[in-house]
Amino acid sequence: MGDMTNSDFYSKNQRNESSHGGEFGCTMEELRSLMELRGTEAVVKIKETYGDTEAICRRLKTSPVEGLPGTAPDLEKRKQIFGQNFIPPKKPKTFLQLVWEALQDVTLIILEIAAIISLGLSFYHPPGEGNEGCATAQGGAEDEGEAEAGWIEGAAILLSVICVVLVTAFNDWSKEKQFRGLQSRIEQEQKFTVVRAGQVVQIPVAEIVVGDIAQVKYGDLLPADGLFIQGNDLKIDESSLTGESDQVRKSVDKDPMLLSGTHVMEGSGRMLVTAVGVNSQTGIIFTLLGAGGEEEEKKDKKAKQQDGAAAMEMQPLKSAEGGDADDRKKASMHKKEKSVLQGKLTKLAVQIGKAGLVMSAITVIILVLYFTVDTFVVNKKPWLPECTPVYVQYFVKFFIIGVTVLVVAVPEGLPLAVTISLAYSVKKMMKDNNLVRHLDACETMGNATAICSDKTGTLTTNRMTVVQAYVGDVHYKEIPDPSSINTKTMELLVNAIAINSAYTTKILPPEKEGALPRQVGNKTECGLLGFMLDLKQDYEPVRSQMPEEKLYKVYTFNSVRKSMSTVIKLPDESFRMYSKGASEIVLKKCCKILNGAGEPRVFRPRDRDEMVKKVIEPMACDGLRTICVAYRDFPSSPEPDWDNENDILNELTCICVVGIEDPVRPEVPEAIRKCQRAGITVRMVTGDNINTARAIAIKCGIIHPGEDFLCLEGKEFNRRIRNEKGEIEQERIDKIWPKLRVLARSSPTDKHTLVKGIIDSTHTEQRQVVAVTGDGTNDGPALKKADVGFAMGIAGTDVAKEASDIILTDDNFSSIVKAVMWGRNVYDSISKFLQFQLTVNVVAVIVAFTGACITQDSPLKAVQMLWVNLIMDTFASLALATEPPTETLLLRKPYGRNKPLISRTMMKNILGHAVYQLALIFTLLFVGEKMFQIDSGRNAPLHSPPSEHYTIIFNTFVMMQLFNEINARKIHGERNVFDGIFRNPIFCTIVLGTFAIQIVIVQFGGKPFSCSPLQLDQWMWCIFIGLGELVWGQVIATIPTSRLKFLKEAGRLTQKEEIPEEELNEDVEEIDHAERELRRGQILWFRGLNRIQTQIEVVNTFKSGASFQGALRRQSSVTSQSQDVANLSSPSRVSLSNALSSPTSLPPAAAGHPRREGVP
């Protein structure tokens, strides 16, 4: 792989190198080729070429402890020689390319052709022009001047086509720009910790240069390639590069290679950055995928294909399990599966388009037939050769009328409304602390029926403080007085807390006077350090005495251990290990405990049970998180086998147990109440003790005393959802999830299982749409599986942000409620627009069709139609799509996946208004000339001047649309359509603006718009008829929808289509501009097929009633389960589980299905 890529990667960089050759002791070439080696090869190479990592540091003029000096010239020089840590994005499409794409629209092409033919014919004056015998309709008011103006109609059509194309292209362009802005904002927000001039600083990832010393810790996404210099227990998930899901253990002497785009799963350490940007491993792959731009175009096409293939082989697609997240982020940020809304819209647009095509075809056929029969059969005119051009001109006119009907029928405004509405929402959601990474997540959120939330940091403030302690056989309900604690105990406690915590965790003085001290790093550890400060002790001297480099061995915290331990070497060569962790787990491993005199006494299992009852459970029931701090001494010889964890982490001596309070965020109970009122179930999934979890759930209002709900622990949950073979069964999950509110002591796998179980469940009549919040690396799979994944912007790890759809920039649960509000608003905005657009379409199509059939000429001319349809709809989509959301949106239940886009109420509004408009337009068309005492505009010959009669019809039509736009603001049949109209300035501006333009068109539009100026009284009548729309709206609102059974809903997704079929993706290209590489497409396509097949199999097995363990594979190994937490059964839970096991309390669904009754 190396040879292929090295060839012409850095034509640019080599020039730099030759000039700065001697600046640094190694060139970029050398470092790059070094980073391509793995494991022992790399160690050998380092030894042979450089000596050791220290030597490389010296060559790169950096210090492993102090880092780079960080002076501007030095950083600049490094950027010049080794490149910047930045992968150039693909070039955006230029405006002209977007214009060209907009021109590909079929209706527009048809219009262009028709317009050009019309133009050509108008300049061609045939000899038979004056011949009286040619055509009947030729007689009439035609003076010389008008004949000359025949070209105007063609030109006007072309002009309006240009307008439409420019508007569409501009929209696409601004969408792309916004998207890039968003992406760059996400990238800027990603910061990384490096050491510069001895200070630990956070810098944006793009600022990292070769030679930097970076601090890596659990949950980081490595931003550049580097060598591991020092650290403990570092494990890396390299699946995004290698496809191997096993975690790779890194050590200085065995495998020091750290690669960009890989995830730190455990441990911490320092790395020396050796390759950045396009020279890092991820950068090389992007350049192969063509994201790097220029180099690619120089290669010939063949090489390009091979490179692409190679890159694909190197990067197996693992996005289903959370693998190639990194590659996906930069290549395209869209999830390609179509969102619920887009599915419904595509289907609707296709249906409408087909209907329009049929109508327009019929119109043209009727016009042509009528004309030929009338001319050649009834009037028995012969076909004279000199008359041919005149006839052709008629036929072209008919064709243009037909196309106009089609143009009006197809709702071009739809994709535009969706785009505008989503883009507008995304922009506004930024202000509400929601950073949206995938546009469609926005509207999916509006349909959410369940939220699975983390506890720490989302529902709580994540500001930990110790409020109770059990030290020296005494349970203190508040912070004890330092003098009451034995000095030996105090010394042990101070050392245990200061040394056995990440040295990056600190408590800094408050930024403002009177504020709380700032907590930096792991919040639980901050709580413990704060406890020390409350005891008037200081941790800094302890740490400076025992710097991080001197720590002998560190067992970092992970979700299996649930504890952290650090081993240090004492002055007398013996070892001491400090441990801290979840109290039930650490106490199990304690065999002694310090008494009041600071002496260890025996701690038997029955003492432990006593302690759990007397100390830990009361703390947990107050909603406190209990942490046990312990230690153990080892002799200097023989040295223990540190890798045998089970022996090492045993026989501990307990120093103390503390209760840490993490207060519930003040705005959370209200937010959760809003969710429940909006029909969204909130579930809490946490790693905490079940009593703590239950106490917090009650404080938040997730559970209310006296309700029928379940609080389970991870172990119990697994026991209930697995069959004898240990496989997960969907039927079992279906029995549990509807009542489950709290899942405590859960592993990441449990969270994923629960989310998947709820999403796949067919237990309720509506499919569930699940949102998940997460902050840890281990939440990745669940965030990916969920319909919408929320990651925490402050506390979240890069891995979690990578897997999420929306990032909560303030980590606050109430921002999720805002997201729900915006999501529902998007859905409603699009429905409002549909209601408006379809009324216009129905009326315009019927008017053009019947008008053409009865009077051989559409009362609404092609250009007028274009103004109404394309320009007005574009504005209307802007006006209706930018309505701000209101709290009332949260008062209704979610729409769910199979709710139709156009409800019965909307259908009633569309048809009701259409009836009013058609009645008035036809009245004006047939008796209008008598009402206004003007010349009739019917049966006017070709090229006759515009008549006042038809101008009044056109003007009235537009006025009715304007006032109906106000009606369209409400879709649930509310009476007050003006409610909140001034909160939306865009709407007011657009309505007034459209009105002003309409005045200009009518008074000064003349020939191109086929308008003749109207008098004031005629204008008044037009506006009066328009105002009638508002009155009529009230009449329609009075008719109860329930009476109108015959109204059909439209735009519903059937159960079958819910399985997101990837074929449909092609229909939404205008909505979804994410280009996907071809090969990737095929792989995803096969995966899509595969998934669909599996789903169909599962469905069929369900039908046959057989058990289908084969279809569901067990997801996590037994060991992780057995190491899970001790089960603290509490009386309240026992009674619940008994109630569950009794057959009477089966959920109603189970009772109704004879097949399900026999389930074990």
Side-chain angles (χ1 to χ4, degrees), residues 702-759:
I702 292 177
I703 51 183
H704 302 288
E707 274 184 4
D708 182 19
F709 58 80
L710 278 179
C711 293
L712 293 182
E713 281 193 340
K715 268 194 171 166
E716 173 70 3
F717 173 68
N718 271 304
R719 200 179 60 70
R720 291 193 186 192
I721 60 170
R722 292 173 190 274
N723 58 16
E724 297 72 43
K725 293 185 190 153
E727 290 158 342
I728 295 171
E729 284 191 5
Q730 184 64 41
E731 291 185 29
R732 291 170 177 245
I733 298 181
D734 283 349
K735 283 185 182 168
I736 293 178
W737 73 259
K739 287 187 181 173
L740 184 69
R741 289 295 176 273
V742 176
L743 184 57
R745 281 277 176 249
S746 64
S747 66
T749 328
D750 299 337
K751 191 168 186 175
H752 182 258
T753 311
L754 176 67
V755 172
K756 185 172 178 301
I758 297 180
I759 290 177

Side-chain angles (χ1 to χ4, degrees), residues 779-845:
D779 294 326
L783 286 172
K784 259 210 171 73
K785 176 68 195 160
D787 294 291
V788 183
F790 286 92
M792 302 296 136
I794 304 168
T797 56
D798 298 341
V799 184
K801 289 180 189 172
E802 209 40 80
S804 70
D805 303 285
I806 298 180
I807 294 174
L808 296 177
T809 49
D810 63 345
D811 288 13
N812 193 338
F813 187 84
S814 59
S815 301
I816 299 179
V817 182
K818 296 251 176 59
V820 172
M821 217 154 79
W822 277 108
R824 293 187 172 190
N825 194 46
V826 168
Y827 205 92
D828 280 8
S829 296
I830 288 161
S831 296
K832 287 172 191 176
F833 174 69
L834 269 174
Q835 177 173 305
F836 172 72
Q837 165 109 37
L838 292 180
T839 313
V840 179
N841 285 6
V842 169
V843 174
V845 168

Side-chain angles (χ1 to χ4, degrees), residues 503-752:
Y503 278 31
T504 46
T505 305
K506 303 186 186 64
I507 292 200
L508 301 178
E511 283 171 339
K512 296 194 286 287
E513 279 292 302
L516 292 165
R518 279 181 307 155
Q519 297 188 341
V520 187
N522 179 316
K523 294 298 191 276
T524 312
E525 291 179 354
C526 285
L528 291 168
L529 291 176
F531 177 50
M532 280 184 61
L533 298 175
D534 290 340
L535 293 173
K536 313 280 184 285
Q537 305 291 324
D538 191 8
Y539 62 89
E540 282 298 345
V542 182
R543 283 186 174 178
S544 47
Q545 230 176 347
M546 177 62 65
E548 205 169 357
E549 295 78 53
K550 281 202 189 159
L551 301 179
Y552 197 77
K553 170 102 180 109
V554 178
Y555 299 93
T556 49
F557 181 89
N558 66 23
S559 52
V560 178
R561 279 190 198 126
K562 292 246 200 273
S563 68
M564 169 180 176
S565 312
T566 305
V567 180
I568 59 169
K569 209 167 189 167
L570 297 174
D572 62 358
E573 295 294 309
S574 64
F575 300 98
R576 174 170 286 169
M577 176 179 76
Y578 293 114
S579 249
K580 69 166 191 291
S583 54
E584 313 92 284
I585 292 180
V586 179
L587 279 176
K588 270 216 181 109
K589 299 178 175 153
C590 289
C591 61
K592 297 193 176 108
I593 187 166
L594 294 182
N595 61 18
E599 298 300 325
R601 66 173 170 84
V602 180
F603 185 62
R604 293 184 298 271
R606 67 159 185 270
D607 300 331
R608 186 172 66 231
D609 298 340
E610 176 85 350
M611 182 151 169
V612 165
K613 270 202 190 61
K614 294 270 168 62
V615 180
I616 292 176
E617 282 195 2
M619 279 189 189
C621 291
D622 292 341
L624 304 184
R625 184 183 227 165
T626 54
I627 300 280
C628 174
V629 182
Y631 77 101
R632 177 183 178 183
D633 288 327
F634 294 98
S636 55
S637 65
E639 186 172 329
D641 170 10
W642 299 115
D643 290 335
N644 185 348
E645 264 186 54
N646 293 341
D647 290 353
I648 301 288
L649 298 178
N650 222 330
E651 302 185 11
L652 307 175
T653 304
C654 169
I655 306 173
C656 78
V657 174
V658 292
I660 297 185
E661 182 184 41
D662 183 5
V664 173
R665 287 173 179 264
E667 60 285 312
V668 162
E670 174 60 19
I672 286 180
R673 207 170 61 245
K674 279 183 186 160
C675 283
Q676 289 165 342
R677 208 172 49 213
I680 302 169
T681 314
V682 182
R683 296 184 172 82
M684 179 161 99
V685 182
T686 173
D688 243 332
N689 173 326
I690 186 146
N691 295 325
T692 312
R694 192 188 286 112
I696 298 240
I698 289 173
K699 279 186 196 168
C700 293
I702 292 177
I703 51 183
H704 302 288
E707 274 184 4
D708 182 19
F709 58 80
L710 278 179
C711 293
L712 293 182
E713 281 193 340
K715 268 194 171 166
E716 173 70 3
F717 173 68
N718 271 304
R719 200 179 60 70
R720 291 193 186 192
I721 60 170
R722 292 173 190 274
N723 58 16
E724 297 72 43
K725 293 185 190 153
E727 290 158 342
I728 295 171
E729 284 191 5
Q730 184 64 41
E731 291 185 29
R732 291 170 177 245
I733 298 181
D734 283 349
K735 283 185 182 168
I736 293 178
W737 73 259
K739 287 187 181 173
L740 184 69
R741 289 295 176 273
V742 176
L743 184 57
R745 281 277 176 249
S746 64
S747 66
T749 328
D750 299 337
K751 191 168 186 175
H752 182 258

